Amino acid sequence: TDLLSAEDIKKAVGAFSAAESFNYKKFFEMVGLKKKSPEDVKKVFHILDKDRSGFIEEDELKFVLKGFTPDGRDLSDKETKALLAAGDKDGDGKIGADEFATMVAES
């Protein structure tokens, strides 16, 4: 919440509370990430990279909404795979910081 407003986070996570409703483009826009500097987008990436591997793997993507608020739901397998496919530009099965920044910028 140092980077994004708590109200925006609540609204964005709430908008996708229904199963199979997650849309990363709309989510990044609603949560205010799209308007942030590349440095701030990287900070958010590091929050989502729970194991500090330098990548957001599929098992971390499943909990992406929880990365923004503990009340967030888990993404379904289908939503997780769609998010991974959207962000994984080099096909290595995970999303790096640059891929994440590109994904946010394209949303």
Side-chain angles (χ1 to χ4, degrees):
T1 53
D2 296 346
L3 297 168
L4 304 167
S5 106
E7 197 176 307
D8 287 349
I9 291 171
K10 191 175 177 176
K11 228 183 287 177
V13 171
F16 302 106
S17 59
E20 305 302 338
S21 67
F22 186 72
N23 176 315
Y24 75 91
K25 291 182 178 186
K26 279 189 183 148
F27 180 77
F28 290 152
E29 194 175 318
M30 288 179 76
V31 86
L33 201 52
K34 194 158 169 53
K35 295 179 285 205
K36 294 293 173 188
S37 70
E39 294 77 28
D40 283 349
V41 170
K42 285 222 162 106
K43 286 179 190 165
V44 171
F45 171 85
H46 290 298
I47 292 167
L48 298 174
D49 176 20
K50 298 278 186 225
D51 66 1
R52 303 271 179 254
S53 66
F55 295 95
I56 303 174
E57 290 89 7
E58 190 170 338
D59 60 334
E60 291 168 322
L61 284 175
K62 186 174 188 64
F63 307 115
V64 72
L65 295 177
K66 283 194 167 78
F68 288 90
T69 177
D71 304 342
R73 70 175 176 87
D74 296 349
L75 295 185
S76 70
D77 289 346
K78 186 177 164 190
E79 289 170 313
T80 303
K81 289 196 186 315
L83 183 56
L84 181 63
D88 180 20
K89 301 290 186 210
D90 63 7
D92 64 358
K94 52 196 177 193
I95 298 174
D98 292 338
E99 288 172 317
F100 183 73
T102 300
M103 192 164 72
V104 169
E106 288 175 351
S107 63

XYZ file of all heavy atoms in Angstrom:
826
model
N 0.820 -1.213 0.000
C 0.000 0.000 0.000
C 0.856 1.266 0.000
O 0.311 2.348 -0.072
C -0.963 0.023 1.214
O -0.191 -0.191 2.391
C -2.047 -1.021 1.105
N 2.170 1.121 0.083
C 3.016 2.306 -0.067
C 2.960 2.784 -1.511
O 3.110 3.968 -1.782
C 4.481 1.973 0.253
C 4.669 1.558 1.698
O 3.746 1.778 2.499
O 5.732 1.008 2.011
N 2.728 1.856 -2.425
C 2.754 2.168 -3.852
C 1.369 2.397 -4.441
O 1.189 3.212 -5.324
C 3.407 1.014 -4.618
C 4.868 0.724 -4.273
C 5.292 -0.599 -4.864
C 5.740 1.836 -4.804
N 0.394 1.637 -3.954
C -0.952 1.684 -4.526
C -1.963 2.018 -3.437
O -1.767 1.649 -2.284
C -1.295 0.317 -5.132
C -0.321 -0.216 -6.189
C -0.594 -1.685 -6.474
C -0.408 0.595 -7.464
N -3.028 2.702 -3.791
C -4.015 3.077 -2.787
C -4.821 1.859 -2.334
O -5.205 1.008 -3.138
C -4.937 4.171 -3.336
O -6.203 3.685 -3.642
N -5.047 1.798 -1.030
C -5.793 0.673 -0.448
C -7.185 0.592 -1.067
O -7.705 -0.501 -1.305
C -5.891 0.839 1.068
N -7.776 1.738 -1.355
C -9.113 1.775 -1.952
C -9.096 1.179 -3.363
O -9.975 0.394 -3.722
C -9.605 3.225 -2.001
C -11.096 3.340 -2.219
C -11.564 4.785 -2.154
O -11.263 5.466 -1.155
O -12.201 5.232 -3.120
N -8.087 1.538 -4.157
C -7.959 0.989 -5.514
C -7.754 -0.521 -5.470
O -8.333 -1.260 -6.263
C -6.790 1.644 -6.270
C -7.092 3.071 -6.703
O -8.273 3.489 -6.615
O -6.153 3.768 -7.111
N -6.921 -0.971 -4.530
C -6.666 -2.411 -4.393
C -7.968 -3.137 -4.059
O -8.317 -4.132 -4.687
C -5.604 -2.689 -3.301
C -4.235 -2.204 -3.774
C -5.567 -4.180 -2.948
C -3.161 -2.238 -2.701
N -8.707 -2.594 -3.084
C -9.958 -3.226 -2.652
C -10.949 -3.307 -3.813
O -11.577 -4.338 -4.035
C -10.543 -2.415 -1.485
C -11.677 -3.098 -0.793
C -12.138 -2.304 0.411
C -13.324 -3.001 1.032
N -13.795 -2.390 2.235
N -11.066 -2.215 -4.557
C -11.982 -2.159 -5.702
C -11.579 -3.165 -6.780
O -12.410 -3.897 -7.316
C -11.972 -0.740 -6.290
C -13.358 -0.167 -6.529
C -13.292 1.198 -7.174
C -12.827 2.256 -6.182
N -12.681 3.583 -6.742
N -10.288 -3.193 -7.100
C -9.789 -4.067 -8.170
C -9.940 -5.540 -7.796
O -10.407 -6.344 -8.604
C -8.334 -3.737 -8.478
N -9.558 -5.897 -6.572
C -9.676 -7.292 -6.140
C -11.147 -7.693 -6.072
O -11.536 -8.774 -6.502
C -8.951 -7.528 -4.792
C -9.249 -8.903 -4.240
C -7.438 -7.351 -4.972
N -11.987 -6.788 -5.584
C -13.431 -7.042 -5.490
C -14.080 -7.243 -6.847
O -14.993 -8.051 -7.000
N -13.581 -6.528 -7.839
C -14.151 -6.612 -9.189
C -13.981 -8.005 -9.790
O -14.732 -8.399 -10.679
C -13.507 -5.573 -10.095
N -12.996 -8.736 -9.298
C -12.707 -10.060 -9.851
C -12.915 -11.159 -8.812
O -12.269 -12.196 -8.852
C -11.282 -10.093 -10.430
C -11.085 -9.050 -11.494
C -10.352 -7.905 -11.246
C -11.690 -9.184 -12.732
C -10.199 -6.924 -12.212
C -11.547 -8.214 -13.710
C -10.805 -7.084 -13.449
N -13.846 -10.932 -7.888
C -14.081 -11.913 -6.823
C -14.798 -13.164 -7.339
O -14.701 -14.223 -6.744
C -14.863 -11.280 -5.672
O -16.103 -10.802 -6.140
N -15.500 -13.039 -8.453
C -16.189 -14.212 -9.023
C -15.177 -15.122 -9.720
O -14.243 -14.650 -10.363
C -17.255 -13.767 -10.017
N -15.393 -16.420 -9.585
C -14.509 -17.392 -10.233
C -14.482 -17.164 -11.743
O -15.493 -16.791 -12.335
C -14.976 -18.811 -9.923
N -13.336 -17.362 -12.337
C -13.128 -17.232 -13.791
C -13.364 -15.819 -14.327
O -13.594 -15.637 -15.519
C -14.002 -18.231 -14.576
C -13.838 -19.680 -14.167
C -12.416 -20.229 -14.290
O -11.610 -19.672 -15.048
O -12.118 -21.216 -13.612
N -13.317 -14.805 -13.456
C -13.576 -13.436 -13.921
C -12.296 -12.611 -14.067
O -12.342 -11.477 -14.536
C -14.505 -12.714 -12.930
O -13.833 -12.511 -11.682
N -11.153 -13.159 -13.671
C -9.924 -12.355 -13.630
C -9.464 -11.941 -15.023
O -9.350 -12.749 -15.932
C -8.798 -13.116 -12.928
C -7.554 -12.284 -12.739
C -7.531 -11.261 -11.817
C -6.421 -12.524 -13.499
C -6.395 -10.480 -11.644
C -5.279 -11.750 -13.335
C -5.264 -10.731 -12.400
N -9.197 -10.638 -15.160
C -8.679 -10.062 -16.400
C -7.491 -9.184 -15.992
O -7.688 -8.131 -15.384
C -9.776 -9.233 -17.070
C -9.292 -8.522 -18.320
O -8.211 -7.927 -18.341
N -10.087 -8.559 -19.360
N -6.284 -9.637 -16.283
C -5.106 -8.918 -15.787
C -5.017 -7.489 -16.322
O -4.582 -6.586 -15.615
C -3.818 -9.705 -16.072
C -3.359 -9.666 -17.512
C -2.478 -8.695 -17.953
C -3.808 -10.608 -18.438
C -2.068 -8.648 -19.265
C -3.394 -10.565 -19.750
C -2.522 -9.586 -20.165
O -2.122 -9.533 -21.467
N -5.447 -7.272 -17.558
C -5.371 -5.920 -18.121
C -6.241 -4.955 -17.322
O -5.802 -3.877 -16.928
C -5.793 -5.918 -19.598
C -4.799 -6.623 -20.494
C -5.209 -6.570 -21.949
C -4.158 -7.241 -22.815
N -4.413 -7.109 -24.229
N -7.489 -5.367 -17.086
C -8.394 -4.521 -16.300
C -7.891 -4.389 -14.869
O -7.969 -3.320 -14.267
C -9.808 -5.115 -16.288
C -10.615 -4.803 -17.513
C -12.059 -5.235 -17.292
C -12.868 -4.984 -18.545
N -13.931 -5.964 -18.715
N -7.372 -5.497 -14.314
C -6.901 -5.473 -12.934
C -5.751 -4.478 -12.761
O -5.767 -3.640 -11.868
C -6.467 -6.876 -12.487
C -5.961 -6.896 -11.067
C -6.844 -6.854 -10.001
C -4.595 -6.932 -10.800
C -6.379 -6.844 -8.689
C -4.130 -6.925 -9.496
C -5.023 -6.884 -8.439
N -4.731 -4.550 -13.636
C -3.582 -3.650 -13.516
C -4.004 -2.189 -13.659
O -3.450 -1.314 -13.011
C -2.508 -3.988 -14.563
C -1.793 -5.282 -14.310
C -1.258 -5.996 -15.366
C -1.656 -5.798 -13.030
C -0.579 -7.199 -15.151
C -0.988 -6.995 -12.800
C -0.456 -7.696 -13.867
N -4.988 -1.961 -14.520
C -5.485 -0.599 -14.696
C -6.235 -0.137 -13.442
O -5.965 0.935 -12.913
C -6.413 -0.552 -15.912
C -6.707 0.859 -16.379
C -7.538 0.870 -17.656
O -7.272 0.062 -18.557
O -8.461 1.688 -17.704
N -7.163 -0.958 -12.953
C -7.970 -0.591 -11.787
C -7.140 -0.400 -10.525
O -7.418 0.474 -9.713
C -9.039 -1.663 -11.507
C -10.164 -1.682 -12.508
S -11.343 -2.993 -12.118
C -12.213 -2.277 -10.720
N -6.122 -1.226 -10.372
C -5.306 -1.170 -9.163
C -4.324 0.019 -9.210
O -3.696 0.364 -8.225
C -4.610 -2.531 -8.923
C -3.314 -2.656 -9.670
C -4.408 -2.806 -7.454
N -4.214 0.657 -10.374
C -3.376 1.848 -10.512
C -1.945 1.550 -10.918
O -1.093 2.433 -10.958
N -1.665 0.298 -11.239
C -0.298 -0.113 -11.580
C 0.154 0.470 -12.913
O 1.310 0.812 -13.086
C -0.242 -1.644 -11.621
C 1.107 -2.313 -11.469
C 1.840 -1.827 -10.233
C 0.938 -3.822 -11.402
N -0.792 0.605 -13.828
C -0.473 1.084 -15.170
C 0.111 2.506 -15.150
O 0.920 2.861 -15.986
C -1.743 1.038 -16.027
C -1.431 1.191 -17.488
C -2.540 0.622 -18.329
C -2.359 1.000 -19.776
N -1.057 0.664 -20.321
N -0.299 3.300 -14.158
C 0.156 4.694 -14.078
C 1.469 4.845 -13.322
O 1.991 5.943 -13.196
C -0.910 5.553 -13.370
C -2.213 5.661 -14.149
C -3.223 6.499 -13.410
C -3.794 5.720 -12.244
N -5.109 6.114 -11.802
N 1.993 3.753 -12.816
C 3.202 3.817 -11.991
C 4.475 3.831 -12.837
O 4.496 3.390 -13.974
C 3.257 2.616 -11.035
C 2.158 2.627 -9.996
C 2.344 3.769 -9.057
C 1.192 3.937 -8.101
N 1.308 5.163 -7.336
N 5.551 4.311 -12.229
C 6.855 4.336 -12.901
C 7.384 2.904 -13.035
O 6.973 2.015 -12.280
C 7.842 5.149 -12.062
O 8.156 4.434 -10.870
N 8.313 2.696 -13.978
C 8.911 1.356 -14.111
C 9.527 0.862 -12.794
O 9.474 -0.320 -12.487
C 9.986 1.551 -15.182
C 9.503 2.717 -15.991
C 8.777 3.616 -15.022
N 10.089 1.780 -12.013
C 10.683 1.395 -10.725
C 9.611 0.853 -9.786
O 9.822 -0.149 -9.093
C 11.381 2.590 -10.054
C 12.602 3.103 -10.797
C 12.260 3.958 -12.027
O 11.196 4.608 -12.057
O 13.068 3.942 -12.975
N 8.471 1.534 -9.741
C 7.382 1.092 -8.856
C 6.791 -0.233 -9.323
O 6.442 -1.086 -8.508
C 6.284 2.159 -8.767
C 6.689 3.322 -7.861
O 7.709 3.199 -7.149
O 5.988 4.352 -7.867
N 6.695 -0.418 -10.629
C 6.187 -1.679 -11.174
C 7.128 -2.819 -10.759
O 6.679 -3.887 -10.355
C 6.031 -1.609 -12.713
C 5.745 -2.988 -13.305
C 4.913 -0.631 -13.083
N 8.436 -2.559 -10.788
C 9.408 -3.583 -10.348
C 9.256 -3.886 -8.861
O 9.417 -5.028 -8.428
C 10.836 -3.129 -10.660
C 11.127 -3.262 -12.154
C 12.505 -3.827 -12.427
C 12.577 -4.336 -13.838
N 13.305 -3.589 -14.786
N 8.943 -2.865 -8.055
C 8.728 -3.094 -6.613
C 7.553 -4.030 -6.402
O 7.602 -4.924 -5.558
C 8.487 -1.764 -5.885
C 9.732 -0.927 -5.711
C 9.414 0.379 -5.013
C 10.605 1.324 -5.061
N 10.223 2.701 -4.718
N 6.477 -3.814 -7.166
C 5.307 -4.692 -7.066
C 5.690 -6.100 -7.505
O 5.292 -7.087 -6.880
C 4.115 -4.141 -7.886
C 2.982 -5.148 -7.955
C 3.621 -2.825 -7.279
N 6.491 -6.207 -8.556
C 6.973 -7.521 -9.004
C 7.661 -8.254 -7.851
O 7.403 -9.433 -7.605
C 7.955 -7.362 -10.179
C 8.658 -8.641 -10.542
C 8.063 -9.548 -11.387
C 9.908 -8.948 -10.011
C 8.690 -10.754 -11.713
C 10.541 -10.139 -10.328
C 9.928 -11.035 -11.179
N 8.521 -7.556 -7.134
C 9.271 -8.199 -6.045
C 8.363 -8.625 -4.895
O 8.651 -9.611 -4.212
C 10.409 -7.299 -5.568
C 11.498 -7.178 -6.590
N 12.233 -8.259 -7.031
C 11.947 -6.121 -7.304
C 13.093 -7.856 -7.960
N 12.930 -6.584 -8.143
N 7.256 -7.919 -4.702
C 6.272 -8.324 -3.682
C 5.612 -9.642 -4.109
O 5.402 -10.534 -3.289
C 5.198 -7.221 -3.485
C 5.840 -5.988 -2.850
C 4.035 -7.734 -2.628
C 4.976 -4.734 -2.893
N 5.306 -9.767 -5.392
C 4.632 -10.966 -5.901
C 5.589 -12.156 -6.028
O 5.147 -13.303 -6.010
C 3.977 -10.667 -7.260
C 2.897 -9.587 -7.236
C 2.426 -9.285 -8.650
C 1.734 -9.978 -6.343
N 6.877 -11.873 -6.132
C 7.893 -12.927 -6.219
C 8.209 -13.405 -4.798
O 9.235 -13.062 -4.223
C 9.148 -12.365 -6.910
C 10.293 -13.367 -6.969
O 10.043 -14.581 -6.827
O 11.443 -12.917 -7.149
N 7.311 -14.223 -4.271
C 7.373 -14.634 -2.860
C 8.667 -15.363 -2.493
O 9.191 -15.189 -1.408
C 6.189 -15.542 -2.505
C 4.838 -14.878 -2.646
C 4.514 -14.051 -1.444
C 3.101 -13.513 -1.516
N 3.022 -12.110 -1.166
N 9.174 -16.198 -3.395
C 10.371 -16.977 -3.058
C 11.671 -16.265 -3.445
O 12.754 -16.825 -3.333
C 10.307 -18.383 -3.671
C 10.349 -18.374 -5.199
O 10.456 -17.281 -5.811
O 10.260 -19.458 -5.781
N 11.550 -15.018 -3.896
C 12.709 -14.187 -4.241
C 13.621 -14.824 -5.287
O 14.833 -14.649 -5.264
C 13.541 -13.866 -2.984
C 12.762 -13.179 -1.887
C 12.815 -11.687 -2.089
N 12.063 -10.973 -1.057
C 10.876 -10.401 -1.280
N 10.311 -10.480 -2.457
N 10.268 -9.740 -0.330
N 13.021 -15.569 -6.215
C 13.810 -16.256 -7.240
C 14.145 -15.337 -8.411
O 14.935 -15.687 -9.270
C 13.034 -17.465 -7.768
O 11.874 -17.022 -8.465
N 13.510 -14.170 -8.453
C 13.689 -13.288 -9.601
C 12.664 -13.551 -10.690
O 12.676 -12.937 -11.741
N 11.749 -14.484 -10.392
C 10.681 -14.819 -11.326
C 9.382 -15.036 -10.556
O 9.412 -15.421 -9.392
C 11.004 -16.118 -12.091
C 12.201 -15.999 -12.976
C 13.449 -16.405 -12.528
C 12.092 -15.468 -14.255
C 14.573 -16.280 -13.338
C 13.212 -15.353 -15.073
C 14.445 -15.744 -14.618
N 8.266 -14.808 -11.241
C 6.974 -15.179 -10.675
C 6.578 -16.473 -11.386
O 6.315 -16.471 -12.585
C 5.908 -14.084 -10.904
C 6.364 -12.747 -10.321
C 4.587 -14.510 -10.261
C 5.437 -11.585 -10.642
N 6.610 -17.569 -10.637
C 6.273 -18.874 -11.204
C 4.769 -19.109 -11.113
O 4.049 -18.385 -10.430
C 7.016 -19.997 -10.455
C 8.512 -20.018 -10.707
C 9.306 -19.142 -9.735
O 8.736 -18.612 -8.781
O 10.505 -18.990 -9.968
N 4.333 -20.173 -11.770
C 2.901 -20.489 -11.833
C 2.277 -20.595 -10.447
O 1.181 -20.083 -10.220
C 2.687 -21.787 -12.618
C 1.229 -22.040 -12.931
C 1.019 -23.195 -13.903
O 1.949 -23.553 -14.657
O -0.092 -23.730 -13.903
N 2.970 -21.236 -9.498
C 2.380 -21.377 -8.158
C 2.258 -20.036 -7.438
O 1.393 -19.855 -6.589
C 3.138 -22.407 -7.307
C 4.599 -22.057 -7.098
O 5.172 -21.341 -7.937
O 5.155 -22.511 -6.083
N 3.092 -19.055 -7.795
C 2.966 -17.716 -7.210
C 1.855 -16.922 -7.911
O 1.167 -16.123 -7.273
C 4.294 -16.958 -7.315
C 5.371 -17.534 -6.412
C 6.764 -16.995 -6.696
O 7.112 -16.785 -7.886
O 7.505 -16.800 -5.731
N 1.674 -17.148 -9.195
C 0.616 -16.462 -9.938
C -0.772 -16.797 -9.397
O -1.650 -15.951 -9.367
C 0.668 -16.829 -11.430
C 1.762 -16.175 -12.257
C 1.740 -16.738 -13.664
C 1.599 -14.666 -12.284
N -0.933 -18.031 -8.962
C -2.223 -18.470 -8.435
C -2.676 -17.556 -7.291
O -3.852 -17.316 -7.100
C -2.110 -19.916 -7.953
C -3.416 -20.525 -7.509
C -3.221 -21.999 -7.184
C -4.500 -22.716 -6.917
N -5.417 -22.798 -8.031
N -1.705 -17.007 -6.557
C -2.009 -16.177 -5.380
C -1.782 -14.688 -5.642
O -1.599 -13.912 -4.710
C -1.161 -16.646 -4.191
C -1.297 -18.123 -3.926
C -0.219 -18.980 -4.071
C -2.527 -18.664 -3.547
C -0.347 -20.345 -3.849
C -2.660 -20.034 -3.320
C -1.579 -20.872 -3.468
N -1.813 -14.293 -6.913
C -1.502 -12.901 -7.271
C -2.433 -11.907 -6.563
O -1.977 -10.862 -6.101
C -1.486 -12.694 -8.813
C -2.873 -12.734 -9.419
C -0.796 -11.397 -9.173
N -3.710 -12.232 -6.440
C -4.626 -11.304 -5.768
C -4.295 -11.183 -4.281
O -4.414 -10.104 -3.702
C -6.091 -11.725 -5.973
C -6.592 -11.675 -7.426
C -8.029 -12.170 -7.526
C -6.472 -10.272 -8.001
N -3.854 -12.278 -3.681
C -3.439 -12.243 -2.266
C -2.178 -11.392 -2.086
O -1.907 -10.898 -0.997
C -3.198 -13.655 -1.739
C -4.473 -14.400 -1.439
C -4.161 -15.649 -0.612
C -5.401 -16.265 -0.029
N -6.186 -17.053 -0.952
N -1.405 -11.233 -3.150
C -0.231 -10.363 -3.098
C -0.619 -8.906 -2.896
O 0.162 -8.116 -2.389
N -1.832 -8.586 -3.283
C -2.327 -7.216 -3.125
C -3.132 -7.055 -1.842
O -3.099 -6.015 -1.221
C -3.175 -6.812 -4.339
C -2.357 -6.591 -5.581
C -2.107 -7.628 -6.453
C -1.815 -5.353 -5.862
C -1.327 -7.443 -7.590
C -1.040 -5.149 -6.993
C -0.792 -6.194 -7.858
N -3.874 -8.090 -1.444
C -4.654 -8.049 -0.205
C -4.884 -9.471 0.297
O -5.171 -10.362 -0.510
C -6.008 -7.325 -0.393
O -6.750 -7.389 0.821
C -6.835 -7.918 -1.510
N -4.787 -9.692 1.607
C -4.992 -11.036 2.156
C -6.389 -11.594 1.853
O -6.582 -12.801 1.847
C -4.814 -10.845 3.667
C -4.135 -9.529 3.842
C -4.424 -8.714 2.624
N -7.342 -10.697 1.587
C -8.724 -11.124 1.293
C -8.893 -11.642 -0.131
O -9.946 -12.146 -0.481
C -9.711 -9.947 1.452
C -9.630 -9.313 2.821
O -9.098 -9.968 3.739
O -10.091 -8.169 2.971
N -7.889 -11.464 -0.970
C -8.020 -11.863 -2.374
C -8.206 -13.363 -2.508
O -7.698 -14.141 -1.717
N -8.959 -13.750 -3.547
C -9.167 -15.182 -3.776
C -7.999 -15.751 -4.566
O -7.234 -15.020 -5.182
C -10.484 -15.404 -4.533
C -10.450 -14.938 -5.982
C -11.729 -15.297 -6.727
N -11.724 -14.763 -8.075
C -11.194 -15.381 -9.132
N -10.647 -16.551 -9.013
N -11.233 -14.810 -10.326
N -7.891 -17.069 -4.551
C -6.911 -17.739 -5.406
C -7.445 -17.753 -6.833
O -8.654 -17.907 -7.029
C -6.704 -19.199 -4.966
C -6.107 -19.301 -3.565
O -5.664 -18.269 -3.027
O -6.093 -20.420 -3.034
N -6.568 -17.600 -7.798
C -6.992 -17.735 -9.188
C -7.225 -19.210 -9.492
O -6.565 -20.079 -8.921
C -5.925 -17.188 -10.139
C -5.614 -15.689 -10.073
C -4.632 -15.309 -11.173
C -6.860 -14.841 -10.166
N -8.130 -19.470 -10.412
C -8.350 -20.855 -10.845
C -7.143 -21.283 -11.679
O -6.346 -20.449 -12.121
C -9.616 -20.945 -11.701
O -9.391 -20.310 -12.955
N -7.025 -22.591 -11.923
C -5.929 -23.083 -12.772
C -5.997 -22.443 -14.157
O -4.977 -22.076 -14.733
C -5.987 -24.606 -12.895
C -5.586 -25.289 -11.590
O -5.025 -24.609 -10.690
O -5.832 -26.500 -11.460
N -7.215 -22.307 -14.676
C -7.410 -21.724 -16.006
C -6.939 -20.262 -16.027
O -6.220 -19.837 -16.935
C -8.889 -21.827 -16.365
C -9.234 -21.388 -17.773
C -10.719 -21.622 -18.028
C -11.197 -20.873 -19.235
N -12.654 -20.907 -19.361
N -7.329 -19.491 -15.003
C -6.924 -18.084 -14.921
C -5.405 -17.969 -14.749
O -4.769 -17.105 -15.357
C -7.615 -17.398 -13.736
C -9.099 -17.180 -13.940
C -9.791 -16.731 -12.668
O -9.563 -17.348 -11.596
O -10.567 -15.773 -12.725
N -4.842 -18.842 -13.923
C -3.397 -18.828 -13.675
C -2.641 -19.099 -14.970
O -1.680 -18.392 -15.300
C -3.023 -19.885 -12.608
O -3.765 -19.625 -11.414
C -1.553 -19.835 -12.289
N -3.082 -20.100 -15.720
C -2.412 -20.445 -16.981
C -2.549 -19.320 -18.006
O -1.604 -19.042 -18.754
C -2.962 -21.756 -17.532
C -2.509 -22.946 -16.678
C -2.700 -24.269 -17.364
C -2.393 -25.461 -16.478
N -1.190 -25.385 -15.680
N -3.711 -18.655 -18.042
C -3.914 -17.535 -18.973
C -2.996 -16.371 -18.614
O -2.409 -15.735 -19.496
C -5.378 -17.090 -18.946
N -2.844 -16.105 -17.320
C -1.971 -15.028 -16.865
C -0.510 -15.356 -17.189
O 0.231 -14.504 -17.681
C -2.161 -14.816 -15.353
C -1.389 -13.681 -14.690
C -1.688 -12.347 -15.358
C -1.728 -13.608 -13.208
N -0.112 -16.588 -16.963
C 1.246 -17.021 -17.282
C 1.505 -16.896 -18.788
O 2.532 -16.359 -19.202
C 1.474 -18.466 -16.825
C 2.869 -19.029 -17.091
C 3.936 -18.245 -16.330
C 2.929 -20.493 -16.717
N 0.552 -17.346 -19.583
C 0.703 -17.276 -21.041
C 0.838 -15.824 -21.507
O 1.619 -15.517 -22.409
C -0.489 -17.942 -21.725
N 0.099 -14.920 -20.876
C 0.139 -13.510 -21.260
C 1.486 -12.866 -20.916
O 1.984 -12.025 -21.651
C -0.988 -12.752 -20.562
N 2.067 -13.286 -19.796
C 3.283 -12.635 -19.336
C 4.574 -13.302 -19.747
O 5.612 -12.650 -19.835
N 4.526 -14.594 -20.010
C 5.738 -15.365 -20.299
C 6.108 -15.246 -21.769
O 5.775 -16.099 -22.578
C 5.504 -16.835 -19.904
C 6.714 -17.704 -20.174
O 7.831 -17.157 -20.289
O 6.537 -18.928 -20.267
N 6.826 -14.182 -22.105
C 7.156 -13.901 -23.508
C 8.223 -14.836 -24.070
O 8.239 -15.119 -25.257
C 7.634 -12.454 -23.667
C 6.632 -11.400 -23.229
C 5.459 -11.315 -24.166
C 4.544 -10.166 -23.787
N 3.162 -10.399 -24.115
N 9.131 -15.315 -23.217
C 10.222 -16.156 -23.738
C 9.951 -17.654 -23.594
O 10.792 -18.473 -23.958
C 11.569 -15.773 -23.108
C 11.609 -15.988 -21.595
O 10.635 -16.554 -21.030
O 12.605 -15.579 -20.977
N 8.776 -17.996 -23.070
C 8.374 -19.394 -23.036
C 9.100 -20.269 -22.024
O 9.125 -21.478 -22.152
N 9.677 -19.651 -20.980
C 10.403 -20.459 -19.988
C 9.520 -20.927 -18.825
O 10.003 -21.541 -17.879
C 11.640 -19.712 -19.467
C 11.299 -18.436 -18.704
O 10.101 -18.080 -18.596
O 12.241 -17.785 -18.216
N 8.229 -20.621 -18.889
C 7.310 -21.114 -17.868
C 7.230 -20.257 -16.627
O 6.648 -20.655 -15.615
N 7.798 -19.061 -16.686
C 7.734 -18.137 -15.551
C 7.845 -16.711 -16.070
O 8.219 -16.493 -17.222
C 8.836 -18.446 -14.534
C 10.219 -18.521 -15.134
C 11.208 -19.192 -14.196
C 12.555 -19.298 -14.896
N 13.491 -20.153 -14.248
N 7.506 -15.752 -15.212
C 7.506 -14.346 -15.622
C 8.629 -13.609 -14.900
O 8.650 -13.555 -13.672
C 6.141 -13.689 -15.302
C 5.035 -14.395 -16.093
C 6.168 -12.196 -15.627
C 3.630 -13.933 -15.742
N 9.559 -13.059 -15.671
C 10.651 -12.261 -15.114
C 10.209 -10.819 -14.912
O 9.126 -10.419 -15.345
N 11.051 -10.029 -14.274
C 10.716 -8.626 -13.971
C 10.424 -7.826 -15.243
O 9.476 -7.042 -15.281
C 11.853 -7.979 -13.177
N 11.238 -8.034 -16.284
C 11.016 -7.293 -17.533
C 9.724 -7.735 -18.209
O 8.993 -6.908 -18.755
C 12.204 -7.466 -18.485
C 13.463 -6.781 -17.964
O 13.332 -5.853 -17.140
O 14.570 -7.174 -18.367
N 9.451 -9.031 -18.159
C 8.206 -9.534 -18.745
C 6.999 -8.963 -17.991
O 5.996 -8.599 -18.604
C 8.165 -11.069 -18.688
C 9.123 -11.732 -19.659
C 9.224 -13.235 -19.462
O 9.295 -13.711 -18.304
O 9.217 -13.946 -20.476
N 7.114 -8.871 -16.672
C 6.037 -8.315 -15.858
C 5.810 -6.849 -16.223
O 4.678 -6.410 -16.423
C 6.374 -8.454 -14.364
C 5.274 -7.966 -13.456
C 4.098 -8.699 -13.287
C 5.411 -6.780 -12.743
C 3.080 -8.250 -12.452
C 4.400 -6.333 -11.911
C 3.236 -7.058 -11.752
N 6.894 -6.089 -16.340
C 6.795 -4.667 -16.705
C 6.138 -4.507 -18.073
O 5.299 -3.623 -18.271
C 8.182 -4.032 -16.691
N 6.506 -5.367 -19.017
C 5.905 -5.335 -20.357
C 4.418 -5.648 -20.276
O 3.594 -4.983 -20.913
C 6.610 -6.358 -21.281
O 7.987 -6.012 -21.376
C 5.998 -6.361 -22.676
N 4.072 -6.644 -19.486
C 2.676 -7.041 -19.336
C 1.831 -5.895 -18.773
O 0.743 -5.618 -19.251
C 2.596 -8.277 -18.422
C 1.270 -8.946 -18.416
S 1.294 -10.613 -17.726
C 1.522 -10.319 -16.010
N 2.374 -5.190 -17.774
C 1.667 -4.049 -17.184
C 1.544 -2.923 -18.220
O 0.486 -2.338 -18.387
C 2.393 -3.540 -15.899
C 1.816 -2.210 -15.443
C 2.289 -4.581 -14.794
N 2.632 -2.648 -18.927
C 2.633 -1.572 -19.917
C 1.656 -1.829 -21.043
O 1.024 -0.901 -21.558
C 4.049 -1.383 -20.493
N 1.474 -3.098 -21.418
C 0.575 -3.459 -22.517
C -0.880 -3.523 -22.089
O -1.759 -3.651 -22.919
C 0.979 -4.812 -23.099
C 2.258 -4.783 -23.907
C 2.702 -6.158 -24.365
O 2.109 -7.171 -23.909
O 3.645 -6.227 -25.179
N -1.122 -3.471 -20.786
C -2.505 -3.615 -20.324
C -3.301 -2.346 -20.527
O -2.768 -1.297 -20.753
C -2.549 -4.053 -18.859
O -1.969 -3.087 -18.026
